[in-house]
PDB file of all heavy atoms in Angstrom:
ATOM      1  N   TYR R   1       0.816  -1.188  -0.048  1.00 86.00           N
ATOM      2  CA  TYR R   1      -0.017  -0.001  -0.001  1.00 86.00           C
ATOM      3  C   TYR R   1       0.916   1.272  -0.015  1.00 86.00           C
ATOM      4  O   TYR R   1       1.769   1.413   0.887  1.00 86.00           O
ATOM      5  CB  TYR R   1      -0.866  -0.121   1.232  1.00 86.00           C
ATOM      6  CG  TYR R   1      -1.708   1.037   1.616  1.00 86.00           C
ATOM      7  CD1 TYR R   1      -2.915   1.258   1.105  1.00 86.00           C
ATOM      8  CD2 TYR R   1      -1.267   1.945   2.715  1.00 86.00           C
ATOM      9  CE1 TYR R   1      -3.702   2.279   1.479  1.00 86.00           C
ATOM     10  CE2 TYR R   1      -2.102   2.967   3.020  1.00 86.00           C
ATOM     11  CZ  TYR R   1      -3.331   3.164   2.556  1.00 86.00           C
ATOM     12  OH  TYR R   1      -4.141   4.149   2.913  1.00 86.00           O
ATOM     13  N   GLY R   2       0.740   2.060  -0.968  1.00 86.00           N
ATOM     14  CA  GLY R   2       1.546   3.209  -1.089  1.00 86.00           C
ATOM     15  C   GLY R   2       1.087   4.384  -0.154  1.00 86.00           C
ATOM     16  O   GLY R   2      -0.105   4.728  -0.021  1.00 86.00           O
ATOM     17  N   ILE R   3       1.949   5.048   0.579  1.00 85.00           N
ATOM     18  CA  ILE R   3       1.703   6.146   1.436  1.00 85.00           C
ATOM     19  C   ILE R   3       2.453   7.343   0.934  1.00 85.00           C
ATOM     20  O   ILE R   3       3.676   7.297   0.915  1.00 85.00           O
ATOM     21  CB  ILE R   3       2.078   5.821   2.892  1.00 85.00           C
ATOM     22  CG1 ILE R   3       1.259   4.623   3.413  1.00 85.00           C
ATOM     23  CG2 ILE R   3       1.839   7.037   3.845  1.00 85.00           C
ATOM     24  CD1 ILE R   3       1.684   4.093   4.763  1.00 85.00           C
ATOM     25  N   GLU R   4       1.771   8.350   0.600  1.00 82.00           N
ATOM     26  CA  GLU R   4       2.281   9.547   0.081  1.00 82.00           C
ATOM     27  C   GLU R   4       2.809  10.469   1.144  1.00 82.00           C
ATOM     28  O   GLU R   4       2.093  10.814   2.053  1.00 82.00           O
ATOM     29  CB  GLU R   4       1.263  10.297  -0.834  1.00 82.00           C
ATOM     30  CG  GLU R   4       1.828  11.339  -1.718  1.00 82.00           C
ATOM     31  CD  GLU R   4       0.815  11.867  -2.661  1.00 82.00           C
ATOM     32  OE1 GLU R   4      -0.191  11.161  -2.933  1.00 82.00           O
ATOM     33  OE2 GLU R   4       0.931  13.072  -3.109  1.00 82.00           O
ATOM     34  N   LEU R   5       4.067  10.924   1.095  1.00 78.00           N
ATOM     35  CA  LEU R   5       4.591  11.864   1.986  1.00 78.00           C
ATOM     36  C   LEU R   5       4.757  13.252   1.388  1.00 78.00           C
ATOM     37  O   LEU R   5       4.557  14.255   2.071  1.00 78.00           O
ATOM     38  CB  LEU R   5       6.036  11.417   2.431  1.00 78.00           C
ATOM     39  CG  LEU R   5       6.112  10.168   3.200  1.00 78.00           C
ATOM     40  CD1 LEU R   5       7.570   9.765   3.500  1.00 78.00           C
ATOM     41  CD2 LEU R   5       5.367  10.249   4.521  1.00 78.00           C
ATOM     42  N   LEU R   6       4.983  13.319   0.146  1.00 72.00           N
ATOM     43  CA  LEU R   6       5.190  14.631  -0.577  1.00 72.00           C
ATOM     44  C   LEU R   6       4.507  14.534  -1.964  1.00 72.00           C
ATOM     45  O   LEU R   6       4.459  13.503  -2.503  1.00 72.00           O
ATOM     46  CB  LEU R   6       6.723  14.889  -0.725  1.00 72.00           C
ATOM     47  CG  LEU R   6       7.527  15.110   0.353  1.00 72.00           C
ATOM     48  CD1 LEU R   6       9.030  15.153  -0.073  1.00 72.00           C
ATOM     49  CD2 LEU R   6       7.199  16.438   1.107  1.00 72.00           C
ATOM     50  N   HIS R   7       4.226  15.695  -2.508  1.00 63.00           N
ATOM     51  CA  HIS R   7       3.794  15.796  -3.872  1.00 63.00           C
ATOM     52  C   HIS R   7       5.119  15.589  -4.776  1.00 63.00           C
ATOM     53  O   HIS R   7       6.158  16.015  -4.351  1.00 63.00           O
ATOM     54  CB  HIS R   7       3.185  17.088  -4.179  1.00 63.00           C
ATOM     55  CG  HIS R   7       2.521  17.159  -5.540  1.00 63.00           C
ATOM     56  ND1 HIS R   7       3.282  17.444  -6.725  1.00 63.00           N
ATOM     57  CD2 HIS R   7       1.271  16.999  -5.908  1.00 63.00           C
ATOM     58  CE1 HIS R   7       2.408  17.387  -7.778  1.00 63.00           C
ATOM     59  NE2 HIS R   7       1.176  17.131  -7.294  1.00 63.00           N
ATOM     60  N   PRO R   8       5.014  14.859  -5.876  1.00 65.00           N
ATOM     61  CA  PRO R   8       6.150  14.560  -6.685  1.00 65.00           C
ATOM     62  C   PRO R   8       6.976  15.877  -7.081  1.00 65.00           C
ATOM     63  O   PRO R   8       8.175  15.728  -7.339  1.00 65.00           O
ATOM     64  CB  PRO R   8       5.643  13.835  -7.921  1.00 65.00           C
ATOM     65  CG  PRO R   8       4.411  13.181  -7.358  1.00 65.00           C
ATOM     66  CD  PRO R   8       3.860  14.112  -6.380  1.00 65.00           C
ATOM     67  N   ILE R   9       6.298  17.005  -7.297  1.00 66.00           N
ATOM     68  CA  ILE R   9       6.970  18.216  -7.623  1.00 66.00           C
ATOM     69  C   ILE R   9       8.048  18.592  -6.517  1.00 66.00           C
ATOM     70  O   ILE R   9       9.047  19.189  -6.783  1.00 66.00           O
ATOM     71  CB  ILE R   9       6.033  19.334  -7.806  1.00 66.00           C
ATOM     72  CG1 ILE R   9       5.427  19.159  -9.204  1.00 66.00           C
ATOM     73  CG2 ILE R   9       6.696  20.704  -7.710  1.00 66.00           C
ATOM     74  CD1 ILE R   9       4.311  20.101  -9.574  1.00 66.00           C
ATOM     75  N   ARG R  10       7.754  18.308  -5.234  1.00 63.00           N
ATOM     76  CA  ARG R  10       8.606  18.707  -4.126  1.00 63.00           C
ATOM     77  C   ARG R  10       9.733  17.699  -3.843  1.00 63.00           C
ATOM     78  O   ARG R  10      10.456  17.874  -2.817  1.00 63.00           O
ATOM     79  CB  ARG R  10       7.689  18.837  -2.842  1.00 63.00           C
ATOM     80  CG  ARG R  10       6.694  19.923  -3.020  1.00 63.00           C
ATOM     81  CD  ARG R  10       5.951  20.089  -1.677  1.00 63.00           C
ATOM     82  NE  ARG R  10       4.942  21.135  -1.820  1.00 63.00           N
ATOM     83  CZ  ARG R  10       5.167  22.401  -1.524  1.00 63.00           C
ATOM     84  NH1 ARG R  10       6.337  22.756  -1.138  1.00 63.00           N
ATOM     85  NH2 ARG R  10       4.188  23.281  -1.627  1.00 63.00           N
ATOM     86  N   GLU R  11       9.928  16.735  -4.719  1.00 64.00           N
ATOM     87  CA  GLU R  11      10.990  15.729  -4.350  1.00 64.00           C
ATOM     88  C   GLU R  11      12.316  16.392  -4.401  1.00 64.00           C
ATOM     89  O   GLU R  11      12.763  17.244  -5.227  1.00 64.00           O
ATOM     90  CB  GLU R  11      11.046  14.713  -5.573  1.00 64.00           C
ATOM     91  CG  GLU R  11      12.033  13.726  -5.401  1.00 64.00           C
ATOM     92  CD  GLU R  11      12.188  12.685  -6.597  1.00 64.00           C
ATOM     93  OE1 GLU R  11      11.684  13.069  -7.651  1.00 64.00           O
ATOM     94  OE2 GLU R  11      12.687  11.606  -6.347  1.00 64.00           O
ATOM     95  N   GLY R  12      13.176  16.001  -3.337  1.00 63.00           N
ATOM     96  CA  GLY R  12      14.538  16.415  -3.260  1.00 63.00           C
ATOM     97  C   GLY R  12      14.757  17.903  -2.624  1.00 63.00           C
ATOM     98  O   GLY R  12      15.897  18.336  -2.609  1.00 63.00           O
ATOM     99  N   ARG R  13      13.728  18.437  -2.244  1.00 66.00           N
ATOM    100  CA  ARG R  13      13.811  19.778  -1.638  1.00 66.00           C
ATOM    101  C   ARG R  13      14.441  19.773  -0.230  1.00 66.00           C
ATOM    102  O   ARG R  13      14.859  20.866   0.266  1.00 66.00           O
ATOM    103  CB  ARG R  13      12.535  20.581  -1.657  1.00 66.00           C
ATOM    104  CG  ARG R  13      12.020  20.914  -3.014  1.00 66.00           C
ATOM    105  CD  ARG R  13      10.893  21.830  -2.873  1.00 66.00           C
ATOM    106  NE  ARG R  13      10.347  22.119  -4.211  1.00 66.00           N
ATOM    107  CZ  ARG R  13       9.374  22.904  -4.485  1.00 66.00           C
ATOM    108  NH1 ARG R  13       8.655  23.430  -3.426  1.00 66.00           N
ATOM    109  NH2 ARG R  13       8.922  23.217  -5.688  1.00 66.00           N
ATOM    110  N   SER R  14      14.360  18.668   0.447  1.00 65.00           N
ATOM    111  CA  SER R  14      14.822  18.593   1.822  1.00 65.00           C
ATOM    112  C   SER R  14      15.786  17.489   1.952  1.00 65.00           C
ATOM    113  O   SER R  14      15.597  16.360   1.392  1.00 65.00           O
ATOM    114  CB  SER R  14      13.637  18.386   2.745  1.00 65.00           C
ATOM    115  OG  SER R  14      14.043  18.146   4.066  1.00 65.00           O
ATOM    116  N   ALA R  15      16.798  17.696   2.751  1.00 64.00           N
ATOM    117  CA  ALA R  15      17.824  16.592   3.054  1.00 64.00           C
ATOM    118  C   ALA R  15      17.158  15.596   4.041  1.00 64.00           C
ATOM    119  O   ALA R  15      17.705  14.498   4.130  1.00 64.00           O
ATOM    120  CB  ALA R  15      19.028  17.241   3.677  1.00 64.00           C
ATOM    121  N   GLN R  16      16.105  15.915   4.642  1.00 65.00           N
ATOM    122  CA  GLN R  16      15.438  15.023   5.680  1.00 65.00           C
ATOM    123  C   GLN R  16      14.433  14.091   5.034  1.00 65.00           C
ATOM    124  O   GLN R  16      13.834  13.378   5.692  1.00 65.00           O
ATOM    125  CB  GLN R  16      14.760  15.861   6.737  1.00 65.00           C
ATOM    126  CG  GLN R  16      15.677  16.690   7.566  1.00 65.00           C
ATOM    127  CD  GLN R  16      15.050  17.575   8.442  1.00 65.00           C
ATOM    128  OE1 GLN R  16      13.857  17.839   8.356  1.00 65.00           O
ATOM    129  NE2 GLN R  16      15.682  18.155   9.440  1.00 65.00           N
ATOM    130  N   GLN R  17      14.247  14.207   3.742  1.00 66.00           N
ATOM    131  CA  GLN R  17      13.211  13.424   3.010  1.00 66.00           C
ATOM    132  C   GLN R  17      13.484  11.916   3.219  1.00 66.00           C
ATOM    133  O   GLN R  17      14.528  11.422   2.892  1.00 66.00           O
ATOM    134  CB  GLN R  17      13.202  13.766   1.529  1.00 66.00           C
ATOM    135  CG  GLN R  17      12.238  12.968   0.767  1.00 66.00           C
ATOM    136  CD  GLN R  17      12.297  13.370  -0.718  1.00 66.00           C
ATOM    137  OE1 GLN R  17      12.541  14.615  -1.022  1.00 66.00           O
ATOM    138  NE2 GLN R  17      12.220  12.461  -1.643  1.00 66.00           N
ATOM    139  N   ILE R  18      12.477  11.208   3.709  1.00 72.00           N
ATOM    140  CA  ILE R  18      12.680   9.737   3.986  1.00 72.00           C
ATOM    141  C   ILE R  18      11.943   8.888   2.873  1.00 72.00           C
ATOM    142  O   ILE R  18      12.309   7.793   2.673  1.00 72.00           O
ATOM    143  CB  ILE R  18      12.059   9.240   5.405  1.00 72.00           C
ATOM    144  CG1 ILE R  18      10.628   9.489   5.529  1.00 72.00           C
ATOM    145  CG2 ILE R  18      12.874   9.891   6.475  1.00 72.00           C
ATOM    146  CD1 ILE R  18      10.005   8.954   6.740  1.00 72.00           C
ATOM    147  N   GLY R  19      11.119   9.469   2.127  1.00 70.00           N
ATOM    148  CA  GLY R  19      10.437   8.748   1.021  1.00 70.00           C
ATOM    149  C   GLY R  19      11.160   8.803  -0.254  1.00 70.00           C
ATOM    150  O   GLY R  19      12.056   9.675  -0.457  1.00 70.00           O
ATOM    151  N   LYS R  20      10.927   7.900  -1.151  1.00 71.00           N
ATOM    152  CA  LYS R  20      11.566   7.827  -2.477  1.00 71.00           C
ATOM    153  C   LYS R  20      10.353   7.862  -3.481  1.00 71.00           C
ATOM    154  O   LYS R  20       9.277   7.553  -3.240  1.00 71.00           O
ATOM    155  CB  LYS R  20      12.326   6.639  -2.693  1.00 71.00           C
ATOM    156  CG  LYS R  20      13.449   6.456  -1.662  1.00 71.00           C
ATOM    157  CD  LYS R  20      14.727   7.197  -2.170  1.00 71.00           C
ATOM    158  CE  LYS R  20      15.795   7.307  -1.109  1.00 71.00           C
ATOM    159  NZ  LYS R  20      16.925   6.497  -1.222  1.00 71.00           N
ATOM    160  N   LYS R  21      10.764   8.133  -4.694  1.00 74.00           N
ATOM    161  CA  LYS R  21       9.873   8.177  -5.835  1.00 74.00           C
ATOM    162  C   LYS R  21       9.463   6.722  -6.327  1.00 74.00           C
ATOM    163  O   LYS R  21      10.398   5.928  -6.557  1.00 74.00           O
ATOM    164  CB  LYS R  21      10.297   9.023  -7.003  1.00 74.00           C
ATOM    165  CG  LYS R  21       9.305   9.297  -8.063  1.00 74.00           C
ATOM    166  CD  LYS R  21       9.954  10.243  -9.165  1.00 74.00           C
ATOM    167  CE  LYS R  21       8.870  10.904  -9.873  1.00 74.00           C
ATOM    168  NZ  LYS R  21       9.442  11.909 -10.823  1.00 74.00           N
ATOM    169  N   GLY R  22       8.222   6.451  -6.356  1.00 74.00           N
ATOM    170  CA  GLY R  22       7.780   5.152  -6.907  1.00 74.00           C
ATOM    171  C   GLY R  22       6.393   5.184  -7.293  1.00 74.00           C
ATOM    172  O   GLY R  22       5.699   6.249  -7.138  1.00 74.00           O
ATOM    173  N   LYS R  23       5.848   4.087  -7.861  1.00 72.00           N
ATOM    174  CA  LYS R  23       4.525   4.021  -8.320  1.00 72.00           C
ATOM    175  C   LYS R  23       3.664   3.248  -7.332  1.00 72.00           C
ATOM    176  O   LYS R  23       4.017   2.236  -6.781  1.00 72.00           O
ATOM    177  CB  LYS R  23       4.443   3.350  -9.659  1.00 72.00           C
ATOM    178  CG  LYS R  23       4.732   4.209 -10.905  1.00 72.00           C
ATOM    179  CD  LYS R  23       4.055   3.697 -12.080  1.00 72.00           C
ATOM    180  CE  LYS R  23       4.051   4.778 -13.138  1.00 72.00           C
ATOM    181  NZ  LYS R  23       3.460   4.282 -14.374  1.00 72.00           N
ATOM    182  N   SER R  24       2.411   3.810  -7.173  1.00 71.00           N
ATOM    183  CA  SER R  24       1.483   3.145  -6.297  1.00 71.00           C
ATOM    184  C   SER R  24       0.114   3.429  -6.957  1.00 71.00           C
ATOM    185  O   SER R  24      -0.290   4.574  -7.223  1.00 71.00           O
ATOM    186  CB  SER R  24       1.411   3.755  -4.882  1.00 71.00           C
ATOM    187  OG  SER R  24       0.400   3.216  -4.156  1.00 71.00           O
ATOM    188  N   ASN R  25      -0.683   2.403  -7.214  1.00 66.00           N
ATOM    189  CA  ASN R  25      -1.889   2.448  -7.909  1.00 66.00           C
ATOM    190  C   ASN R  25      -1.828   3.235  -9.193  1.00 66.00           C
ATOM    191  O   ASN R  25      -2.566   4.093  -9.450  1.00 66.00           O
ATOM    192  CB  ASN R  25      -2.988   3.112  -6.900  1.00 66.00           C
ATOM    193  CG  ASN R  25      -3.342   2.174  -5.791  1.00 66.00           C
ATOM    194  OD1 ASN R  25      -3.200   0.987  -5.860  1.00 66.00           O
ATOM    195  ND2 ASN R  25      -3.750   2.798  -4.743  1.00 66.00           N
ATOM    196  N   TRP R  26      -0.858   2.870  -9.973  1.00 69.00           N
ATOM    197  CA  TRP R  26      -0.663   3.431 -11.332  1.00 69.00           C
ATOM    198  C   TRP R  26      -0.385   4.951 -11.360  1.00 69.00           C
ATOM    199  O   TRP R  26      -0.609   5.586 -12.323  1.00 69.00           O
ATOM    200  CB  TRP R  26      -1.801   3.130 -12.241  1.00 69.00           C
ATOM    201  CG  TRP R  26      -2.025   1.650 -12.361  1.00 69.00           C
ATOM    202  CD1 TRP R  26      -1.201   0.761 -13.096  1.00 69.00           C
ATOM    203  CD2 TRP R  26      -2.933   0.836 -11.754  1.00 69.00           C
ATOM    204  NE1 TRP R  26      -1.679  -0.531 -12.939  1.00 69.00           N
ATOM    205  CE2 TRP R  26      -2.766  -0.502 -12.147  1.00 69.00           C
ATOM    206  CE3 TRP R  26      -3.984   1.100 -10.849  1.00 69.00           C
ATOM    207  CZ2 TRP R  26      -3.551  -1.530 -11.655  1.00 69.00           C
ATOM    208  CZ3 TRP R  26      -4.811   0.053 -10.478  1.00 69.00           C
ATOM    209  CH2 TRP R  26      -4.553  -1.199 -10.820  1.00 69.00           C
ATOM    210  N   ARG R  27       0.087   5.516 -10.229  1.00 73.00           N
ATOM    211  CA  ARG R  27       0.462   6.975 -10.230  1.00 73.00           C
ATOM    212  C   ARG R  27       1.799   7.163  -9.436  1.00 73.00           C
ATOM    213  O   ARG R  27       2.046   6.366  -8.509  1.00 73.00           O
ATOM    214  CB  ARG R  27      -0.564   7.827  -9.712  1.00 73.00           C
ATOM    215  CG  ARG R  27      -1.096   7.569  -8.327  1.00 73.00           C
ATOM    216  CD  ARG R  27      -2.159   8.492  -7.849  1.00 73.00           C
ATOM    217  NE  ARG R  27      -1.438   9.723  -7.411  1.00 73.00           N
ATOM    218  CZ  ARG R  27      -1.829  10.399  -6.357  1.00 73.00           C
ATOM    219  NH1 ARG R  27      -2.771   9.979  -5.608  1.00 73.00           N
ATOM    220  NH2 ARG R  27      -1.211  11.493  -6.010  1.00 73.00           N
TER     221      ARG R  27
END
């Protein structure tokens, strides 16, 4: 089950980001 932490546009803006980019439910 995918849990979204950030909107994909905001990827990499913080050094503290624990999530990575991946697909969940075809998005």
Side-chain angles (χ1 to χ4, degrees):
Y1 172 80
I3 299 174
E4 191 172 338
L5 295 175
L6 296 171
H7 191 277
I9 285 178
R10 297 183 179 272
E11 180 185 21
R13 290 190 183 180
S14 172
Q16 298 173 343
Q17 176 180 323
I18 61 173
K20 300 274 173 109
K21 189 175 199 175
K23 275 203 165 179
S24 174
N25 293 334
W26 301 284
R27 60 178 278 223

